[in-house]
């Protein structure tokens, strides 16, 4: 009998780590056929670091303030990740702009989640910007990371309604529930070998993914 080596995830965080926790739980329950090998934070005070350590996962802080350039910081990330086997890198609320120094070595195996219906609202304050614009819906996008900020090919997108009286906080709470559903789905596609990034964009099962990503539905697998 042959034993396939289990895929290893590295998760990069800057804060609370609720998406990270979803991955830890999905790996522990077997819903994801992978293990979380390493959690890295750029922020020594990230609450997610403690959550990961409590789950018995190796953690590491690479404080961006110790580096004089984005490239030097990115090089330190690359070296840390290269010191262990990593099959897929998950950015989960990692609030640093990355340069090609980091992105190039992990191209095609680097995912991000962004709390807007990309290409709308790349960058910060997405929920407030959706409210200020009078949008009737908001949402979240999982996408491949490329050198363009929040601009890599979308993979999957979930929508939520904006309701009267919404604040950025109430909207964020509605959106994050969807984040926790769609991010592991996209990762599972990758781990199953179904999801690829080419120069032409993202593909699932050999078919091009629409520019707004695959629309999330409750039975999406
Ligand atoms: C999530 O809402 C994620 O989409 C967002 O940060 C939050 C992290 O929450 N990411 C970005 O804004 C990236 N541009 P978490 O730490 O609880 O997972």
């Amino acid at each position: 009998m042959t034993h396939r080596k289990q895929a290893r995830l590295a998760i990069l965080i800057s804060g609370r780590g609720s998406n990270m926790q979803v991955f830890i739980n999905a790996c522990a329950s077997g819903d994801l056929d992978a293990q979380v090998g390493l959690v890295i934070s750029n922020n020594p005070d990230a609450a997610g670091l403690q959550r990961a350590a409590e789950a018995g996962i190796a953690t590491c802080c690479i404080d961006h303030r110790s580096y004089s350039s984005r490239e030097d910081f990115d090089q330190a990330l690359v070296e840390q990740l290269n010191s262990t086997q990593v099959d897929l890198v998950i950015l989960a609320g990692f609030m640093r702009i990355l340069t090609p120094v980091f992105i190039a070595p992990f191209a095609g195996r680097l995912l991000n989640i962004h709390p807007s219906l990309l290409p709308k609202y790349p960058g910060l304050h997405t929920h407030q910007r959706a409210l200020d614009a009078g949008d009737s819906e908001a949402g979240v996008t999982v996408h491949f990371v490329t050198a363009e900020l929040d601009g890599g090919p979308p993979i999957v997108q979930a929508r939520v309604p904006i309701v009267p009286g919404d604040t950025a906080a109430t909207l964020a709470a509605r959106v994050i529930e969807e984040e926790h559903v769609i991010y592991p789905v996209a990762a599972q596609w990758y781990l199953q070998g179904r999801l690829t990034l080419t120069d032409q964009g993202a593909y699932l099962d050999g078919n091009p993914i629409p520019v707004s990503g695959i629309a999330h539905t409750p039975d999406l697998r």
Side-chain angles (χ1 to χ4, degrees):
M1 201 162 104
T2 57
H3 290 279
R4 194 167 54 85
K5 211 160 61 168
Q6 199 176 36
R8 278 167 62 92
L9 311 180
I11 305 181
L12 274 56
I13 62 169
S14 296
R16 174 179 61 178
S18 73
N19 279 289
M20 173 205 74
Q21 188 72 54
V22 165
F23 277 96
I24 292 172
N25 295 349
C27 290
S29 69
D31 286 346
L32 261 188
D33 186 16
Q35 56 175 292
V36 181
L38 177 64
V39 169
I40 303 177
S41 174
N42 65 302
N43 168 16
D45 300 323
L49 277 177
Q50 181 150 0
R51 296 173 86 165
E54 281 165 8
I57 290 163
T59 64
C60 151
C61 177
I62 302 178
D63 190 335
H64 61 278
R65 294 168 299 188
S66 306
Y67 297 86
S68 55
S69 70
R70 288 192 189 278
E71 287 77 8
D72 286 354
F73 170 68
D74 283 7
Q75 186 58 36
L77 287 177
V78 170
E79 282 166 18
Q80 184 64 51
L81 290 170
N82 282 344
S83 69
T84 180
Q85 179 215 331
V86 172
D87 299 290
L88 179 63
V89 180
I90 301 283
L91 305 183
F94 187 65
M95 305 305 279
R96 299 298 303 165
I97 293 175
L98 293 164
T99 71
V101 170
F102 179 80
I103 293 168
F106 295 102
R109 51 189 181 118
L110 178 56
L111 304 184
N112 184 42
I113 190 159
H114 183 74
S116 79
L117 296 171
L118 290 172
K120 271 190 162 181
Y121 314 132
L124 299 175
H125 310 303
T126 55
H127 303 307
Q128 191 58 53
R129 286 157 72 196
L131 292 170
D132 292 347
D135 292 354
S136 59
E137 58 179 6
V140 53
T141 308
V142 177
H143 64 96
F144 277 113
V145 176
T146 63
E148 191 187 342
L149 177 66
D150 299 325
I155 298 163
V156 57
Q157 198 165 68
R159 293 169 181 268
V160 302
I162 292 179
V163 301
D166 259 342
T167 63
T170 60
L171 186 52
R174 195 171 307 123
V175 169
I176 200 123
E177 287 186 23
E178 299 298 317
E179 298 193 27
H180 294 166
V181 174
I182 68 170
Y183 211 176
V185 169
Q188 181 76 323
W189 288 342
Y190 180 87
L191 296 170
Q192 291 170 333
R194 298 172 58 192
L195 181 65
T196 49
L197 177 67
T198 75
D199 290 343
Q200 281 69 48
Y203 285 73
L204 181 66
D205 298 330
N207 302 311
I209 294 177
V211 287
S212 55
I214 291 169
H216 174 63
T217 56
D219 56 349
L220 198 64
R221 287 285 176 276

